[in-house]
Amino acid sequence: MKTARNTIAKTKIQELIILSPIALSHSEIHKYLEGLCDRVTIYRVLDRLLEEGVIHKIVDVDGVIKYAGCHSCSTEHSHNHIHFSCQKCMSVTCLENVEPSFKLPKNYKVSEMNFTLSGLCPQCS
Amino acid sequence: MKTARNTIAKTKIQELIILSPIALSHSEIHKYLEGLCDRVTIYRVLDRLLEEGVIHKIVDVDGVIKYAGCHSCSTEHSHNHIHFSCQKCMSVTCLENVEPSFKLPKNYKVSEMNFTLSGLCPQCS
DNA sequence: ATTACATTTGCAACATTGTTGCATTAATAA
DNA sequence: TTATTAATGCAACAATGTTGCAAATGTAAT
């Protein structure tokens, strides 16, 4: 069987994402790590963290993929909340407590959601 | 003053997007056009069509940028509806009549929305 | 501690996607 | 038909993401 290993790269990346108040992109993580590991390693670590359910993936309004820690997902892994993408400071925040509601036509089977609003965050407005 | 021109490329691309029941990505448009024009031209035409408000941009769950015709936007240019991204046939559809509702914390100023669900569309489920 | 081994990494090479500058082409108004 | 300038094509580049493989390293067993 395969056993996951805790490497410096993985630990650092996980820490970075979990501690960050906003969602981070691959390139942002790359900058913060300052050459601690290869660009490719970051991609692979992110994939593993996603599989493990430690972090989740958010697509911002421009199609940039960002990663955020799963805070409220400890009991159940649900990401049906809204993300807010600030157009000024480019930060992406999870609005964990906001659950949107809507009526869907028949025969659509939903397995994932991605709700992103953009505009100005409290700090920038 | 600058005057917009109707070129073959622009006409074809606009037609393609407007007539398509699903949202199309740059690469899909490129394939359909079969070398009618350059890759770069498609990017520029898409930018112009967006500016003119003829089409709108959708980011799917994987961060892929797709373009769809503005059908119900003739009177008011509003895109606050849900998009559905099928995981099997990869199609992106506008659910024009579904308007989501939610309660937002104070001090957030929203200017854009991107609501994308993914799962199986009626054809694939 | 040492060994064995599979996981993880780094590097190189590549694929895809998107952008920019510039000379040429072509749509439109006069 | 001609003048103007928007639009195109091409080349070159940048950013982002993927894959294969040899080397390094974490972990469990000895």
mmCIF file of all heavy atoms in Angstrom, chain A residues 34-60:
data_model
loop_
_atom_site.group_PDB
_atom_site.id
_atom_site.type_symbol
_atom_site.label_atom_id
_atom_site.label_comp_id
_atom_site.label_asym_id
_atom_site.label_seq_id
_atom_site.Cartn_x
_atom_site.Cartn_y
_atom_site.Cartn_z
ATOM 1 N N GLU A 34 10.099 31.115 -2.102
ATOM 2 C CA GLU A 34 11.445 31.599 -2.462
ATOM 3 C C GLU A 34 12.435 30.489 -2.781
ATOM 4 O O GLU A 34 13.512 30.395 -2.201
ATOM 5 C CB GLU A 34 12.007 32.459 -1.321
ATOM 6 C CG GLU A 34 11.302 33.802 -1.180
ATOM 7 C CD GLU A 34 11.684 34.523 0.102
ATOM 8 O OE1 GLU A 34 11.888 33.841 1.115
ATOM 9 O OE2 GLU A 34 11.774 35.769 0.066
ATOM 10 N N GLY A 35 12.059 29.644 -3.703
ATOM 11 C CA GLY A 35 12.989 28.625 -4.164
ATOM 12 C C GLY A 35 13.176 27.441 -3.234
ATOM 13 O O GLY A 35 14.100 26.652 -3.400
ATOM 14 N N LEU A 36 12.315 27.313 -2.257
ATOM 15 C CA LEU A 36 12.392 26.158 -1.354
ATOM 16 C C LEU A 36 12.268 24.855 -2.131
ATOM 17 O O LEU A 36 12.893 23.854 -1.818
ATOM 18 C CB LEU A 36 11.285 26.229 -0.300
ATOM 19 C CG LEU A 36 11.194 25.022 0.626
ATOM 20 C CD1 LEU A 36 11.927 25.287 1.936
ATOM 21 C CD2 LEU A 36 9.752 24.630 0.906
ATOM 22 N N CYS A 37 11.429 24.866 -3.148
ATOM 23 C CA CYS A 37 11.294 23.680 -3.980
ATOM 24 C C CYS A 37 10.931 24.069 -5.403
ATOM 25 O O CYS A 37 10.623 25.219 -5.691
ATOM 26 C CB CYS A 37 10.236 22.729 -3.414
ATOM 27 S SG CYS A 37 8.565 23.369 -3.509
ATOM 28 N N ASP A 38 10.950 23.082 -6.259
ATOM 29 C CA ASP A 38 10.686 23.306 -7.667
ATOM 30 C C ASP A 38 9.222 23.657 -7.923
ATOM 31 O O ASP A 38 8.335 23.295 -7.157
ATOM 32 C CB ASP A 38 11.055 22.038 -8.434
ATOM 33 C CG ASP A 38 11.173 22.293 -9.913
ATOM 34 O OD1 ASP A 38 12.173 22.897 -10.325
ATOM 35 O OD2 ASP A 38 10.247 21.912 -10.647
ATOM 36 N N ARG A 39 9.010 24.362 -9.029
ATOM 37 C CA ARG A 39 7.675 24.733 -9.491
ATOM 38 C C ARG A 39 6.781 23.502 -9.655
ATOM 39 O O ARG A 39 5.614 23.496 -9.262
ATOM 40 C CB ARG A 39 7.838 25.417 -10.853
ATOM 41 C CG ARG A 39 6.952 26.567 -11.167
ATOM 42 C CD ARG A 39 7.483 27.300 -12.404
ATOM 43 N NE ARG A 39 7.675 26.397 -13.533
ATOM 44 C CZ ARG A 39 6.690 26.036 -14.338
ATOM 45 N NH1 ARG A 39 5.490 26.489 -14.184
ATOM 46 N NH2 ARG A 39 6.920 25.208 -15.336
ATOM 47 N N VAL A 40 7.365 22.467 -10.234
ATOM 48 C CA VAL A 40 6.611 21.232 -10.480
ATOM 49 C C VAL A 40 6.174 20.580 -9.167
ATOM 50 O O VAL A 40 5.065 20.076 -9.057
ATOM 51 C CB VAL A 40 7.455 20.243 -11.300
ATOM 52 C CG1 VAL A 40 6.667 18.967 -11.558
ATOM 53 C CG2 VAL A 40 7.895 20.874 -12.604
ATOM 54 N N THR A 41 7.069 20.617 -8.192
ATOM 55 C CA THR A 41 6.750 20.020 -6.895
ATOM 56 C C THR A 41 5.514 20.677 -6.295
ATOM 57 O O THR A 41 4.651 20.008 -5.729
ATOM 58 C CB THR A 41 7.946 20.168 -5.938
ATOM 59 O OG1 THR A 41 9.070 19.508 -6.517
ATOM 60 C CG2 THR A 41 7.648 19.574 -4.584
ATOM 61 N N ILE A 42 5.431 21.989 -6.428
ATOM 62 C CA ILE A 42 4.269 22.703 -5.895
ATOM 63 C C ILE A 42 2.983 22.171 -6.525
ATOM 64 O O ILE A 42 2.011 21.893 -5.830
ATOM 65 C CB ILE A 42 4.401 24.223 -6.133
ATOM 66 C CG1 ILE A 42 5.666 24.753 -5.459
ATOM 67 C CG2 ILE A 42 3.174 24.955 -5.595
ATOM 68 C CD1 ILE A 42 5.934 26.223 -5.704
ATOM 69 N N TYR A 43 2.984 22.011 -7.844
ATOM 70 C CA TYR A 43 1.807 21.458 -8.522
ATOM 71 C C TYR A 43 1.438 20.101 -7.924
ATOM 72 O O TYR A 43 0.278 19.824 -7.640
ATOM 73 C CB TYR A 43 2.064 21.292 -10.022
ATOM 74 C CG TYR A 43 1.968 22.572 -10.811
ATOM 75 C CD1 TYR A 43 3.081 23.109 -11.447
ATOM 76 C CD2 TYR A 43 0.759 23.249 -10.930
ATOM 77 C CE1 TYR A 43 3.000 24.290 -12.181
ATOM 78 C CE2 TYR A 43 0.664 24.423 -11.657
ATOM 79 C CZ TYR A 43 1.793 24.942 -12.277
ATOM 80 O OH TYR A 43 1.707 26.092 -12.995
ATOM 81 N N ARG A 44 2.441 19.276 -7.732
ATOM 82 C CA ARG A 44 2.166 17.925 -7.255
ATOM 83 C C ARG A 44 1.720 17.912 -5.794
ATOM 84 O O ARG A 44 0.835 17.157 -5.416
ATOM 85 C CB ARG A 44 3.402 17.051 -7.472
ATOM 86 C CG ARG A 44 3.731 16.927 -8.969
ATOM 87 C CD ARG A 44 4.649 15.771 -9.266
ATOM 88 N NE ARG A 44 6.031 16.187 -9.412
ATOM 89 C CZ ARG A 44 6.841 15.794 -10.396
ATOM 90 N NH1 ARG A 44 6.401 14.977 -11.334
ATOM 91 N NH2 ARG A 44 8.078 16.202 -10.462
ATOM 92 N N VAL A 45 2.327 18.771 -4.981
ATOM 93 C CA VAL A 45 1.919 18.849 -3.579
ATOM 94 C C VAL A 45 0.474 19.338 -3.494
ATOM 95 O O VAL A 45 -0.331 18.795 -2.729
ATOM 96 C CB VAL A 45 2.849 19.797 -2.784
ATOM 97 C CG1 VAL A 45 2.261 20.130 -1.422
ATOM 98 C CG2 VAL A 45 4.227 19.164 -2.613
ATOM 99 N N LEU A 46 0.143 20.337 -4.317
ATOM 100 C CA LEU A 46 -1.230 20.864 -4.306
ATOM 101 C C LEU A 46 -2.224 19.763 -4.660
ATOM 102 O O LEU A 46 -3.273 19.639 -4.037
ATOM 103 C CB LEU A 46 -1.350 22.038 -5.282
ATOM 104 C CG LEU A 46 -0.648 23.328 -4.842
ATOM 105 C CD1 LEU A 46 -0.651 24.357 -5.957
ATOM 106 C CD2 LEU A 46 -1.301 23.884 -3.599
ATOM 107 N N ASP A 47 -1.877 18.943 -5.645
ATOM 108 C CA ASP A 47 -2.744 17.829 -6.025
ATOM 109 C C ASP A 47 -2.960 16.874 -4.856
ATOM 110 O O ASP A 47 -4.075 16.429 -4.588
ATOM 111 C CB ASP A 47 -2.130 17.051 -7.201
ATOM 112 C CG ASP A 47 -2.298 17.792 -8.520
ATOM 113 O OD1 ASP A 47 -3.163 18.694 -8.585
ATOM 114 O OD2 ASP A 47 -1.568 17.487 -9.483
ATOM 115 N N ARG A 48 -1.871 16.589 -4.154
ATOM 116 C CA ARG A 48 -1.980 15.676 -3.018
ATOM 117 C C ARG A 48 -2.822 16.257 -1.893
ATOM 118 O O ARG A 48 -3.663 15.575 -1.312
ATOM 119 C CB ARG A 48 -0.580 15.330 -2.498
ATOM 120 C CG ARG A 48 -0.047 14.037 -3.081
ATOM 121 C CD ARG A 48 1.322 13.744 -2.537
ATOM 122 N NE ARG A 48 2.344 14.560 -3.210
ATOM 123 C CZ ARG A 48 3.475 14.968 -2.640
ATOM 124 N NH1 ARG A 48 3.734 14.645 -1.393
ATOM 125 N NH2 ARG A 48 4.332 15.678 -3.333
ATOM 126 N N LEU A 49 -2.592 17.557 -1.602
ATOM 127 C CA LEU A 49 -3.362 18.195 -0.534
ATOM 128 C C LEU A 49 -4.852 18.229 -0.877
ATOM 129 O O LEU A 49 -5.706 18.094 -0.007
ATOM 130 C CB LEU A 49 -2.835 19.615 -0.276
ATOM 131 C CG LEU A 49 -1.441 19.699 0.350
ATOM 132 C CD1 LEU A 49 -0.990 21.148 0.451
ATOM 133 C CD2 LEU A 49 -1.422 19.051 1.725
ATOM 134 N N LEU A 50 -5.141 18.395 -2.164
ATOM 135 C CA LEU A 50 -6.536 18.383 -2.599
ATOM 136 C C LEU A 50 -7.144 17.002 -2.377
ATOM 137 O O LEU A 50 -8.247 16.878 -1.854
ATOM 138 C CB LEU A 50 -6.635 18.744 -4.087
ATOM 139 C CG LEU A 50 -6.556 20.222 -4.453
ATOM 140 C CD1 LEU A 50 -6.495 20.387 -5.964
ATOM 141 C CD2 LEU A 50 -7.747 20.974 -3.885
ATOM 142 N N GLU A 51 -6.402 15.980 -2.771
ATOM 143 C CA GLU A 51 -6.874 14.604 -2.604
ATOM 144 C C GLU A 51 -7.123 14.269 -1.147
ATOM 145 O O GLU A 51 -8.095 13.602 -0.810
ATOM 146 C CB GLU A 51 -5.837 13.623 -3.166
ATOM 147 C CG GLU A 51 -6.149 13.125 -4.567
ATOM 148 C CD GLU A 51 -5.101 12.115 -5.012
ATOM 149 O OE1 GLU A 51 -4.792 11.188 -4.239
ATOM 150 O OE2 GLU A 51 -4.583 12.269 -6.150
ATOM 151 N N GLU A 52 -6.231 14.733 -0.302
ATOM 152 C CA GLU A 52 -6.358 14.487 1.129
ATOM 153 C C GLU A 52 -7.495 15.289 1.757
ATOM 154 O O GLU A 52 -7.867 15.051 2.896
ATOM 155 C CB GLU A 52 -5.046 14.839 1.842
ATOM 156 C CG GLU A 52 -3.887 13.922 1.480
ATOM 157 C CD GLU A 52 -2.580 14.393 2.122
ATOM 158 O OE1 GLU A 52 -2.635 15.185 3.081
ATOM 159 O OE2 GLU A 52 -1.501 13.976 1.647
ATOM 160 N N GLY A 53 -8.001 16.284 1.008
ATOM 161 C CA GLY A 53 -9.103 17.083 1.525
ATOM 162 C C GLY A 53 -8.669 18.139 2.524
ATOM 163 O O GLY A 53 -9.463 18.682 3.271
ATOM 164 N N VAL A 54 -7.371 18.445 2.514
ATOM 165 C CA VAL A 54 -6.847 19.441 3.439
ATOM 166 C C VAL A 54 -7.095 20.854 2.915
ATOM 167 O O VAL A 54 -7.312 21.788 3.671
ATOM 168 C CB VAL A 54 -5.331 19.222 3.645
ATOM 169 C CG1 VAL A 54 -4.753 20.265 4.586
ATOM 170 C CG2 VAL A 54 -5.063 17.825 4.169
ATOM 171 N N ILE A 55 -7.054 20.975 1.614
ATOM 172 C CA ILE A 55 -7.300 22.283 0.996
ATOM 173 C C ILE A 55 -8.388 22.122 -0.064
ATOM 174 O O ILE A 55 -8.747 21.006 -0.422
ATOM 175 C CB ILE A 55 -6.030 22.856 0.328
ATOM 176 C CG1 ILE A 55 -5.555 21.929 -0.801
ATOM 177 C CG2 ILE A 55 -4.936 23.050 1.352
ATOM 178 C CD1 ILE A 55 -4.410 22.494 -1.618
ATOM 179 N N HIS A 56 -8.914 23.229 -0.550
ATOM 180 C CA HIS A 56 -9.821 23.113 -1.684
ATOM 181 C C HIS A 56 -9.490 24.135 -2.748
ATOM 182 O O HIS A 56 -8.785 25.099 -2.521
ATOM 183 C CB HIS A 56 -11.288 23.143 -1.263
ATOM 184 C CG HIS A 56 -11.753 24.427 -0.671
ATOM 185 N ND1 HIS A 56 -11.557 24.743 0.642
ATOM 186 C CD2 HIS A 56 -12.428 25.457 -1.216
ATOM 187 C CE1 HIS A 56 -12.101 25.926 0.879
ATOM 188 N NE2 HIS A 56 -12.617 26.389 -0.220
ATOM 189 N N LYS A 57 -9.990 23.874 -3.909
ATOM 190 C CA LYS A 57 -9.648 24.651 -5.086
ATOM 191 C C LYS A 57 -10.749 25.659 -5.410
ATOM 192 O O LYS A 57 -11.924 25.335 -5.355
ATOM 193 C CB LYS A 57 -9.491 23.685 -6.269
ATOM 194 C CG LYS A 57 -8.873 24.285 -7.510
ATOM 195 C CD LYS A 57 -9.108 23.380 -8.710
ATOM 196 C CE LYS A 57 -8.025 22.324 -8.824
ATOM 197 N NZ LYS A 57 -8.032 21.669 -10.152
ATOM 198 N N ILE A 58 -10.340 26.871 -5.701
ATOM 199 C CA ILE A 58 -11.305 27.902 -6.068
ATOM 200 C C ILE A 58 -10.883 28.501 -7.401
ATOM 201 O O ILE A 58 -9.708 28.749 -7.627
ATOM 202 C CB ILE A 58 -11.313 29.052 -5.031
ATOM 203 C CG1 ILE A 58 -11.554 28.509 -3.630
ATOM 204 C CG2 ILE A 58 -12.341 30.099 -5.400
ATOM 205 C CD1 ILE A 58 -11.259 29.532 -2.550
ATOM 206 N N VAL A 59 -11.825 28.708 -8.271
ATOM 207 C CA VAL A 59 -11.519 29.391 -9.520
ATOM 208 C C VAL A 59 -12.016 30.817 -9.392
ATOM 209 O O VAL A 59 -13.193 31.036 -9.145
ATOM 210 C CB VAL A 59 -12.214 28.707 -10.706
ATOM 211 C CG1 VAL A 59 -11.919 29.454 -11.997
ATOM 212 C CG2 VAL A 59 -11.766 27.269 -10.822
ATOM 213 N N ASP A 60 -11.134 31.795 -9.519
ATOM 214 C CA ASP A 60 -11.614 33.165 -9.367
ATOM 215 C C ASP A 60 -12.241 33.669 -10.669
ATOM 216 O O ASP A 60 -12.256 32.987 -11.680
ATOM 217 C CB ASP A 60 -10.517 34.088 -8.813
ATOM 218 C CG ASP A 60 -9.588 34.618 -9.890
ATOM 219 O OD1 ASP A 60 -9.740 34.245 -11.057
ATOM 220 O OD2 ASP A 60 -8.708 35.418 -9.541
#
